Amino acid sequence: MDSQKQKGFLSQLRNILTYRPPKQNAFVLPELEDEGNEGNSEKTNKGDIGDKSNSDKNNKNESSSVQSKKSKKNTKKPIRASEWKQIKSEDKETKDKISANINVNLKVIKEKFHVPENIDVIIREFKLAQKVNAFIVFIDGMVNNEVINNFILRQLLNPLQFNGYTSGCINQYVREHVLAVGQTKVIDKYSDVVKQVLTGVTVLFIDGCNNCLAIETRGYEKRNIGNPVTENVVRGSQEAFTENTKTSIVQIRRLIKNEDLIHETIAINSTDNPMASIMYIKGIVNPKVVEEVKRRIKSIKTDLILGEGILAQFIEDRPFMLFPQVLATERPDRAASHILEGKVLIFSEGSPFALIVPVNFLALLHSPEDSSLRWQLGSFLRLIRLTGLLIALFIPSLYVAITNYHHEMLPTELLLAITSSRENIPFPTIVEALLMEVSFEFIREAGIRMPGLIGSTLGIIGALILGQAAVEANIVSPIMIIIVSITGLGNFTIPNYSLAFGIRLLRFFFICMAGISGFLGISIGFIIIIALSTSMKSFGVPFMSPGWPRTKKSADSIIRYPLWKQEKRPDAINSLHRQRQPQVSRGWVVDSNPNNKGGNKNDSGR
Amino acid sequence: MIQEGKIGVFEASSLVIFMVASKALFGAVRELVEATGPSAWYTTIISGITALIGFWIIIRLMQRFPGQELVSILKTVYGRITGSLIALIICFLYIYNAASFTREFTEAVKVFEYPLTPPSFIMILILLAVIVLLYYGLETTARTTSFFTWPLIVGMISIFFLGLPLGKLTNLYPLLGHGLDRTIITGLLRSSVYGEVIGLTIILNALQGIENFKKAGKHGIIISIIIISLSLFIYSLIFPYSVSVENTIPLLTLTRIIEYGRFFQRFESIYIFIWSVAATLTTAINLYLALSIYCKTFRINDHRVLVLPLCILLFSIAIIPKDIVTITSIYVHYLRQYGWIIFIGLPLLTLIVAAVRGKKGESANA
């Protein structure tokens, strides 16, 4: 028995010490030979799994060594790098050109779209006018089938449609006489074909033509126009953008019926091939801003741009700052008003938000409702929001500073009230403040993540029950509950989500600064934040304008002047046409006065 | 040459106001009251007017060398080596000014608010903000300063108005203080308080023209005269002479005695805020001017590399004095008493030397 046990033990020991090759069926993710070389990586991805790959590699190595020996004998003359680049680009261009031979085109398209593996890509071959070979390519689900069946295929298959054709490029004839579709475009590059097909366009190839026709057939499912979720107003428009850029652009066009409203699309260099759309009014916008927007978007090289949130991070001036330097809005009316101020609107597919650039800090505190209401009410709302922002930023830190360092500043009665409420609390104030603020953040985050009805009730339950229980258990003082609640309310008054988030994080910074050195710490922290903010720019426009640096007086900053007094566009944006309306914008004021026919030039702000 | 960007008249005036008027928040008020008695409030007006005359000399100098800032003028007038040496003396004066200011604030804040905190910790905190400001350069420093200008002015004026009911007119007597001769002589000597306005000559190119320079300097000095004179007036009005010479930080003591009913009392919170902001920004401005002179003297293109070494230098100088008495009676006293030699005397001397040697700027020659 012992010997058997000993044998067993020895064999186990030997098993541990002996090397064994890994099991054959285990999946090993192959490492790339050269991570920087994308071309090679594809090759290795395709073939190098398992043992086979190793033998393949060996074979390749052997063959390559033989080849290298051979090639040494027939060494070519070295050419310059610039020449080599030129040859390469010319080669690439010629390869990218569409062939006149339909079989070649079919092969290339199948290769490009990985047909038949890729079952969404439909290639429909047919005889044009029952004579000429042709095919159309589109992506199933991205197109409107009715358009393809009734207005493309039906027309193309009908020989009667081609009665008038005599000679020349048949593509031109098809485009002018056969197809009953609104938008068509001639394309002569495969790369363009791929881009178009991926966006829902149908591409028609005809034998004998060295170009093809891109036919507008986009017809995928999309969400209907809904109400704004994050920018609610009582008075004003109740519609929001959708994820579909085309719909959003139409929404803007419906609001700004101006022939100078330009819409341009820019392809983003990303694996998911998204398109960014920019809108602006020519003649009002500063062309340098448009150029800069295009330059930044075109220069992006990345993997995935899913909506404006990701795009914004790629084009922002100072990505390490907590404040956003672009304004995201889901409201067409707000976007339209900014376009008319001389700003540029950016849409990215996949998100119901538009980006507005350039922006300043005060624009982030504005709401579309400010303009809908009378000027006194609009101005009051802005002041409330600004107060809310300051409360959200400073109240907890001021409480921490006063209770830890500056007790003498409080009136005696208030000091006694605070002291008696904190008598049984075991934690120092800073711990208490951080504890409650973090709990509040938990409730808020959980409320958003929890589904529907539970989410909305969770906030109330969390705040009421948790707060009450914490006070009764003598973990936090009632005054801290009040402070956290006021802070939360203040934060909710900030209309811009990104700014509100930035303020939430800054609050913790100020609590820590107050905990370190009271008022001095808060002052130092505030100076740092102001210094960082004043040094920031959004597409060339100082973030803290029109105050710091001081630009020309704006009638639409913190105090919103009456609309008829807002004669000029903001100075900091440097729009080409600063005058928004004449000095007398309410003509009836002048007209009604019989003694003042034609108006007085000095009647400013009427 | 370093790229300083562009600043406007309001921002430049703010720089002057912070450099000059923030002294009223510290021991300077007591020092002047001690020297001239109840006539201190108009002694500072004499100083201000002297400074305005000095500023006129500076303007004449700058007009003689259009488009040139002070360092370049010094090099033109005195030659490269002598000019650079004089520029370095001004540079050191600004560092010294910043260091004494930092230490004065540190000691004061330690006495009144943080008795257990080591001075070095307070100085490091201030330098943290100074580093950020200096790193982003003149534009950011000027904009940040202009952001806090209105809070500073409104805060100080509100303190004055709230304290007004506590005043007694009899405290202002004798109106001539320790004597008219003493008032005038002290007023002339203490024009150094406003002398920092010379700093605008260093950043002249950022000001976009001599006209803006003139406006900014004048506005800055006049607003500072009003603030300092008002603070001296209110202080003399509220505290009798015998008490007023005893307070280390006069305006802080003033805020502590303000009381409106049971709830509205002790307005120190406003004071502490503007106090710390003023100290930090004044240090930053002074240090930036020193940095700018240094870069222009040695033709350094990027000022950012010098920020940290300069802050360490400032910390080292500021930590030398033993206590608050050494700071106020030696460091600050001599600076305020004899600073005019550099602030007003130097431009005057330069103007005379330029006239004697026939040196002029390029466009002035044409």
Side-chain angles (χ1 to χ4, degrees):
Chain A
M1 283 290 282
D2 282 350
S3 64
Q4 271 180 352
K5 267 185 187 176
Q6 216 171 11
K7 262 185 182 178
F9 172 73
L10 283 173
S11 63
Q12 276 178 10
L13 194 68
R14 198 179 62 205
N15 284 346
I16 291 166
L17 296 173
T18 314
Y19 169 76
R20 283 181 181 169
K23 286 176 182 176
Q24 294 296 316
N25 59 355
F27 171 73
V28 180
L29 191 69
E31 283 183 22
L32 302 181
E33 277 179 356
D34 179 7
E35 288 191 355
N37 193 338
E38 288 167 21
N40 286 348
S41 68
E42 272 181 26
K43 284 174 193 170
T44 45
N45 258 340
K46 281 175 186 172
D48 287 4
I49 299 176
D51 279 351
K52 254 189 174 181
S53 62
N54 291 333
S55 59
D56 282 353
K57 269 185 202 171
N58 292 335
N59 290 337
K60 272 180 192 172
N61 286 340
E62 281 170 19
S63 61
S64 65
S65 64
V66 174
Q67 274 178 357
S68 65
K69 276 175 193 171
K70 281 180 186 175
S71 63
K72 271 179 189 173
K73 287 174 188 173
N74 309 320
T75 319
K76 286 179 185 172
K77 256 190 173 182
I79 53 169
R80 288 184 178 186
S82 56
E83 284 173 19
W84 183 78
K85 269 184 188 173
Q86 201 183 339
I87 292 165
K88 208 180 168 189
S89 65
E90 278 171 11
D91 190 37
K92 208 177 172 185
E93 269 180 33
T94 46
K95 274 185 182 174
D96 199 29
K97 286 265 180 197
I98 290 173
S99 163
N101 186 339
I102 192 138
N103 292 327
V104 174
N105 289 336
L106 188 65
K107 197 182 164 198
V108 173
I109 290 297
K110 278 184 177 174
E111 266 176 23
K112 292 260 182 203
F113 286 106
H114 308 283
V115 176
E117 290 162 86
N118 200 348
I119 55 168
D120 285 342
V121 180
I122 310 293
I123 296 175
R124 167 79 161 82
E125 292 174 62
F126 58 92
K127 293 262 183 198
L128 191 82
Q130 297 178 7
K131 283 175 189 165
V132 185
N133 285 333
F135 72 89
I136 54 169
V137 55
F138 59 90
I139 294 183
D140 192 22
M142 295 277 283
V143 293
N144 186 337
N145 285 327
E146 202 182 317
V147 175
I148 293 178
N149 293 339
N150 291 335
F151 304 102
I152 299 175
L153 283 179
R154 190 188 288 267
Q155 313 277 334
L156 293 172
L157 292 169
N158 186 359
L160 296 174
Q161 294 283 352
F162 294 86
N163 284 344
Y165 175 69
T166 50
S167 64
C169 179
I170 197 161
N171 258 347
Q172 191 66 21
Y173 182 84
V174 167
R175 197 180 171 202
E176 288 169 3
H177 300 92
V178 181
L179 292 174
V181 179
Q183 286 180 44
T184 54
K185 190 180 167 188
V186 179
I187 298 175
D188 59 356
K189 282 180 186 171
Y190 288 119
S191 53
D192 291 338
V193 170
V194 172
K195 276 181 193 168
Q196 292 289 339
V197 171
L198 288 173
T199 57
V201 170
T202 299
V203 176
L204 168 68
F205 286 88
I206 302 171
D207 197 15
C209 292
N210 59 356
N211 52 32
C212 61
L213 276 181
I215 308 158
E216 174 57 56
T217 52
R218 288 187 189 103
Y220 35 78
E221 291 298 322
K222 59 193 176 199
R223 191 165 64 91
N224 288 332
I225 294 173
N227 292 342
V229 181
T230 58
E231 291 175 283
N232 292 319
V233 293
V234 178
R235 282 184 74 176
S237 162
Q238 298 293 340
E239 72 170 30
F241 288 128
T242 66
E243 287 79 358
N244 185 262
T245 309
K246 224 171 178 181
T247 314
S248 302
I249 284 158
V250 172
Q251 283 174 291
I252 295 288
R253 283 218 179 267
R254 252 171 34 205
L255 292 172
I256 307 174
K257 298 169 194 74
N258 190 311
E259 68 275 20
D260 294 329
L261 178 64
I262 309 286
H263 168 217
E264 288 184 55
T265 53
I266 304 161
I268 303 173
N269 203 346
S270 162
T271 313
D272 59 332
N273 282 321
M275 297 294 284
S277 296
I278 60 167
M279 288 188 98
Y280 55 89
I281 296 187
K282 209 170 189 173
I284 294 178
V285 71
N286 191 323
K288 292 281 174 195
V289 175
V290 180
E291 262 174 47
E292 182 60 18
V293 170
K294 286 185 194 169
R295 190 180 73 85
R296 289 191 193 184
I297 295 175
K298 278 178 188 168
S299 69
I300 297 169
K301 279 176 190 160
T302 184
D303 195 35
L304 186 71
I305 299 279
L306 268 183
E308 47 72 43
I310 297 172
L311 181 64
Q313 292 175 61
F314 277 97
I315 60 171
E316 270 182 335
D317 289 72
R318 195 77 74 76
F320 286 98
M321 261 307 279
L322 287 174
F323 299 145
Q325 293 124 63
V326 293
L327 173 62
T329 182
E330 55 172 342
R331 299 184 60 91
D333 55 344
R334 195 174 191 198
S337 73
H338 281 282
I339 289 180
L340 284 166
E341 275 187 357
K343 293 174 186 171
V344 180
L345 197 67
I346 307 168
F347 287 107
S348 174
E349 288 168 345
S351 170
F353 283 85
L355 297 175
I356 295 162
V357 292
V359 287
N360 57 11
F361 177 74
L362 287 176
L364 302 173
L365 279 181
H366 292 178
S367 158
E369 195 158 20
D370 302 347
S371 305
S372 305
L373 294 170
R374 300 179 68 236
W375 70 272
Q376 302 93 329
L377 312 180
S379 303
F380 177 70
L381 283 180
R382 284 183 185 178
L383 287 173
I384 287 287
R385 273 181 230 131
L386 191 64
T387 316
L389 183 141
L390 293 174
I391 284 173
L393 200 57
F394 290 120
I395 285 289
S397 51
L398 287 176
Y399 177 72
V400 170
I402 287 172
T403 48
N404 278 313
Y405 293 94
H406 314 285
H407 330 99
E408 73 281 357
M409 279 180 195
L410 291 173
T412 318
E413 283 80 5
L414 185 60
L415 184 66
L416 285 173
I418 292 174
T419 317
S420 61
S421 72
R422 293 209 70 252
E423 207 172 16
N424 295 323
I425 311 300
F427 303 117
T429 328
I430 185 163
V431 175
E432 199 189 352
L434 287 173
L435 200 74
M436 280 314 290
E437 286 294 343
V438 172
S439 309
F440 193 77
E441 293 298 325
F442 278 146
I443 293 170
R444 191 167 3 201
E445 186 60 16
I448 294 169
R449 302 294 153 227
M450 289 290 264
L453 202 63
I454 307 168
S456 56
T457 48
L458 185 80
I460 303 161
I461 295 166
L464 284 177
I465 298 176
L466 201 68
Q468 184 68 24
V471 170
E472 279 178 11
N474 285 330
I475 291 171
V476 289
S477 57
I479 197 152
M480 184 49 83
I481 301 280
I482 296 169
I483 283 170
V484 171
S485 310
I486 292 173
T487 310
L489 282 176
N491 211 98
F492 284 128
T493 60
I494 303 168
N496 187 279
Y497 184 72
S498 301
L499 179 68
F501 222 131
I503 297 292
R504 268 159 71 182
L505 284 179
L506 275 181
R507 191 190 305 148
F508 288 99
F509 167 68
F510 278 110
I511 291 174
C512 293
M513 289 302 277
I516 290 168
S517 56
F519 269 24
L520 175 67
I522 296 174
S523 307
I524 299 289
F526 194 38
I527 291 173
I528 292 172
I529 298 301
I530 293 298
L532 292 173
S533 307
T534 49
S535 68
M536 259 166 50
K537 280 184 177 178
S538 164
F539 284 79
V541 173
F543 186 66
M544 294 297 275
S545 63
W548 310 277
R550 189 173 267 206
T551 54
K552 281 178 187 160
K553 203 176 171 187
S554 171
D556 189 25
S557 51
I558 297 176
I559 301 293
R560 188 184 75 73
Y561 284 35
L563 291 172
W564 40 269
K565 272 206 159 191
Q566 296 181 17
E567 286 129 8
K568 293 194 171 166
R569 297 192 168 87
D571 181 39
I573 294 164
N574 278 339
S575 58
L576 293 183
H577 199 65
R578 263 210 82 202
Q579 197 75 24
R580 196 201 289 259
Q581 59 194 22
Q583 284 205 320
V584 184
S585 54
R586 297 181 302 159
W588 58 271
V589 180
V590 183
D591 295 340
S592 61
N593 187 352
N595 298 327
N596 201 0
K597 275 183 185 172
N600 188 344
K601 278 182 184 175
N602 296 324
D603 282 341
S604 60
R606 285 199 176 191
Chain B
M1 202 65 78
I2 54 168
Q3 297 293 318
E4 294 188 309
K6 290 176 184 174
I7 60 169
V9 175
F10 175 63
E11 284 148 2
S13 307
S14 304
L15 294 177
V16 177
I17 292 167
F18 263 89
M19 277 194 290
V20 179
S22 55
K23 288 174 193 134
L25 296 166
F26 295 88
V29 172
R30 185 198 49 81
E31 209 183 324
L32 195 61
V33 170
E34 199 177 346
T36 58
S39 67
W41 65 273
Y42 63 86
T43 308
T44 199
I45 297 177
I46 296 169
S47 307
I49 291 166
T50 317
L52 278 172
I53 295 166
F55 187 63
W56 177 78
I57 296 167
I58 295 169
I59 292 170
R60 298 287 298 166
L61 180 68
M62 303 319 283
Q63 279 172 338
R64 198 179 168 88
F65 297 91
Q68 278 181 272
E69 33 69 37
L70 188 67
V71 178
S72 157
I73 292 171
L74 290 174
K75 282 182 183 176
T76 314
V77 174
Y78 297 105
R80 219 163 111 186
I81 296 171
T82 320
S84 299
L85 281 173
I86 296 169
L88 285 179
I89 291 170
I90 305 172
C91 172
F92 180 74
L93 194 71
Y94 275 108
I95 297 173
Y96 178 82
N97 204 0
S100 60
F101 212 91
T102 313
R103 188 61 197 271
E104 194 183 0
F105 171 73
T106 306
E107 287 298 330
V109 91
K110 186 172 161 54
V111 169
F112 286 96
E113 295 296 330
Y114 308 104
L116 300 175
T117 314
S120 54
F121 179 76
I122 297 169
M123 282 199 279
I124 288 169
L125 262 184
I126 295 169
L127 287 179
L128 207 68
V130 171
I131 287 171
V132 174
L133 285 163
L134 293 196
Y135 183 81
Y136 286 111
L138 178 66
E139 271 189 356
T140 300
T141 308
R143 284 172 194 174
T144 311
T145 311
S146 66
F147 179 91
F148 287 105
T149 303
W150 282 115
L152 174 85
I153 293 173
V154 172
M156 286 183 84
I157 287 174
S158 59
I159 290 169
F160 300 154
F161 274 97
L162 290 168
L164 207 57
L166 299 168
K168 282 181 189 167
L169 264 180
T170 49
N171 288 338
L172 287 176
Y173 291 95
L175 275 175
L176 297 179
H178 295 326
L180 194 61
D181 53 338
R182 201 165 162 186
T183 302
I184 293 171
I185 291 168
T186 314
L188 291 173
L189 284 176
R190 285 185 74 91
S191 58
S192 323
V193 169
Y194 299 89
E196 279 99 339
V197 73
I198 200 177
L200 291 185
T201 59
I202 297 155
I203 50 166
L204 186 87
N205 293 337
L207 272 161
Q208 307 162 71
I210 198 97
E211 282 307 311
N212 286 353
F213 165 74
K214 267 196 233 176
K215 272 189 208 168
K218 278 183 203 166
H219 292 177
I221 293 175
I222 290 167
I223 294 168
S224 303
I225 292 173
I226 295 168
I227 293 173
I228 296 177
S229 182
L230 257 177
S231 51
L232 283 162
F233 180 79
I234 300 288
Y235 183 60
S236 305
L237 192 72
I238 294 169
F239 295 99
Y241 177 71
S242 53
V243 182
S244 61
V245 292
E246 296 295 326
N247 293 324
T248 319
I249 307 292
L251 289 189
L252 182 64
T253 318
L254 172 66
T255 54
R256 284 183 162 183
I257 61 164
I258 295 170
E259 197 175 316
Y260 284 85
R262 282 169 67 199
F263 190 79
F264 295 102
Q265 47 181 281
R266 306 196 64 141
F267 286 84
E268 280 166 84
S269 47
I270 307 173
Y271 195 82
I272 303 247
F273 176 70
I274 55 175
W275 206 22
S276 28
V277 166
T280 311
L281 289 177
T282 310
T283 307
I285 298 162
N286 279 305
L287 209 57
Y288 179 81
L289 292 173
L291 191 69
S292 180
I293 295 171
Y294 192 87
C295 287
K296 282 164 186 167
T297 309
F298 294 108
R299 284 174 285 179
I300 296 165
N301 290 328
D302 191 357
H303 74 279
R304 288 179 296 186
V305 289
L306 291 166
V307 173
L308 205 59
L310 209 61
C311 285
I312 293 168
L313 184 67
L314 179 124
F315 182 83
S316 313
I317 296 171
I319 208 85
I320 294 170
K322 258 195 225 167
D323 46 31
I324 191 163
V325 183
T326 323
I327 301 276
T328 49
S329 60
I330 300 172
Y331 276 63
V332 181
H333 177 75
Y334 283 109
L335 193 69
R336 305 278 151 82
Q337 205 76 10
Y338 303 107
W340 62 270
I341 297 171
I342 299 288
F343 293 138
I344 298 171
L346 182 72
L348 184 65
L349 184 72
T350 311
L351 196 62
I352 293 166
V353 172
V356 171
R357 295 181 70 182
K359 300 271 183 184
K360 276 184 180 181
E362 277 175 17
S363 353
N365 273 328

